[in-house]
Amino acid sequence: MDHRRLARPLMFVGVLFSIAAAAQAADTQLRTRAQSFFKVLPKDMASADTPLTPEKVKLGRLLYFETRASADNTVSCARCHQPALFGTDSLPKAIGAEHRPNPRNAPTVLNAGIQFVQHWRGDRTSVEDQATRALIAPPSFGNPSYESAMAKLKAIPDYPALFAQAFPGQADPVTADNWGSAIGAYMRTLVTPSPFDDFLAGDDRTLSPAARAGLRTFMQIGCVGCHNGVGIGGSMYQKFGLVEDYWKATGSPSIDRGRFDVTQDPADMYVFKVPSLRNVAMTPPYFHDGSVSTLPAAVRVMARVQLGRTLADREVADIVAFLESLTGRLPDDFATTPRLPAASARP
């Protein structure tokens, strides 16, 4: 027997085993490092201060799609945050009641409940606060008062009973605060677990080689300094343009001073909330003014103005592959629209 012939296939098997073991070890190391920066999405985004009940969520879903509480009966939350567009409207800047333009791009509502504030400048404290104050914001629902908005809902026969079920024991539950609480409850259910969450939980099959390379680059070059946590962003403020003025890279038609206009603190000049990157591949255009239309271009801008780096084409492609792994599945009760209560019959 020629033992040399038997040794060759055994050696080949050994090499394959070694390669597989090395790859598995590399994936484990990558996941371990990723787990130090990122967290898996929770089942929902309830908190001690914002408990969820089926009645509030049911009402909130109806109100999210309700246009009749707006000044011109055309605006709902879903107008600027459409399910088909992953909770955005694909416009550089949203259009509200009476065709009034919003000053900034509409961010996605998906997973918004885990962010520490709302709006690009952080001038809304929560999804509940945002939903309530949108009622009287001229570029949003455009109502002259909360009372006028609630009067419209009270005139729709089914809503008083639905509010009473969601907020039992209140003499007059159809209020702006309860509107915001109900919509906020619904929004806190809009969680979109992604292939990246499965990877963090231990499934190596969910990320492509390019996505794994992109994750490694994303961590190595410093993107995780701002885009971290369960939202992969949405947990801090940061100046847009740490290395150079952002508008030179984005081609923005106007310069937005960011949070400075809220606080009047010079330290807040050009400071914005760091956006969550979950579902980012599905939500162009990018940045507060929608000035960049593609994700690869946005990645290049961020590397340039925040990190002072010019990325190679391969690095950009890999990072985009990683960002695409953050695209989750739309919740069923968001992907489909509900049947709204009928208005009262006219005499």
Side-chain angles (χ1 to χ4, degrees):
M1 181 180 294
D2 189 341
H3 294 286
R4 290 173 297 179
R5 291 183 179 181
L6 290 175
R8 289 170 186 165
L10 290 175
M11 290 176 60
F12 181 70
V13 171
V15 169
L16 290 179
F17 181 81
S18 298
I19 293 173
Q24 184 176 11
D27 286 342
T28 300
Q29 292 173 359
L30 179 64
R31 180 167 51 252
T32 299
R33 189 177 183 207
Q35 288 169 337
S36 69
F37 293 113
F38 311 111
K39 304 299 178 187
V40 174
L41 275 172
K43 181 179 179 181
D44 61 49
M45 298 172 283
S47 69
D49 296 329
T50 57
L52 305 185
T53 66
E55 295 80 10
K56 279 203 295 185
V57 172
K58 175 184 176 181
L59 173 61
R61 182 176 180 235
L62 295 175
L63 298 179
Y64 182 91
F65 291 95
E66 180 59 72
T67 63
R68 291 167 290 181
S70 66
D72 59 1
N73 297 320
T74 68
V75 174
S76 68
C77 302
R79 172 164 167 169
C80 299
H81 305 283
Q82 300 175 33
L85 295 171
F86 271 70
T88 65
D89 61 5
S90 80
L91 299 174
K93 297 179 181 179
I95 304 297
E98 299 173 347
H99 306 288
R100 297 177 189 140
N102 277 256
R104 290 168 197 88
N105 177 258
T108 180
V109 295
L110 298 172
N111 311 300
I114 57 176
Q115 298 184 37
F116 82 120
V117 293
Q118 303 298 313
H119 276 196
W120 285 97
R121 302 183 305 171
D123 53 353
R124 301 290 187 268
T125 60
S126 65
V127 289
E128 290 81 9
D129 182 42
Q130 156 57 18
T132 301
R133 294 171 66 180
L135 283 168
I136 57 171
S140 296
F141 284 71
N143 291 293
S145 67
Y146 290 126
E147 292 74 18
S148 64
M150 293 303 101
K152 292 185 173 187
L153 291 181
K154 289 178 181 179
I156 299 172
D158 288 349
Y159 273 128
L162 289 167
F163 271 86
Q165 292 167 13
F167 302 97
Q170 297 185 14
D172 181 13
V174 186
T175 67
D177 284 342
N178 286 346
W179 157 283
S181 179
I183 292 178
Y186 172 60
M187 288 180 62
R188 289 181 183 278
T189 70
L190 302 182
V191 181
T192 61
S194 68
F196 182 59
D197 292 285
D198 295 333
F199 175 79
L200 289 177
D203 190 345
D204 295 331
R205 300 168 298 175
T206 61
L207 294 192
S208 67
R212 290 196 294 272
L215 169 60
R216 189 174 292 108
T217 301
F218 190 88
M219 293 188 291
Q220 287 176 346
I221 67 176
C223 304
V224 290
C226 296
H227 293 286
N228 52 51
V230 66
I232 314 175
S235 62
M236 63 183 291
Y237 294 116
Q238 181 57 276
K239 180 181 179 181
F240 187 21
L242 287 174
V243 179
E244 64 174 288
D245 296 332
Y246 75 80
W247 54 89
K248 295 178 181 177
T250 62
S252 298
S254 61
I255 298 173
D256 191 323
R257 299 185 297 182
R259 190 159 169 75
F260 172 81
D261 288 334
V262 177
T263 67
Q264 298 299 303
D265 183 345
D268 286 333
M269 187 68 75
Y270 314 130
V271 168
F272 298 87
K273 180 187 71 175
V274 174
S276 168
L277 295 183
R278 287 189 174 273
N279 300 299
V280 69
M282 305 301 294
T283 58
Y286 299 105
F287 305 128
H288 64 277
D289 54 4
S291 55
V292 174
S293 60
T294 70
L295 189 54
V299 168
R300 292 185 187 278
V301 167
M302 289 300 291
R304 172 180 165 183
V305 305
Q306 300 302 108
L307 303 173
R309 295 180 64 106
T310 300
L311 297 179
D313 291 346
R314 182 73 264 166
E315 290 176 308
V316 173
D318 288 344
I319 290 175
V320 168
F322 162 60
L323 296 177
E324 288 172 342
S325 80
L326 304 179
T327 301
R329 180 179 181 274
L330 291 179
D332 291 339
D333 67 353
F334 186 65
T336 59
T337 58
R339 178 178 177 179
L340 299 179
S344 58
R346 294 182 179 179

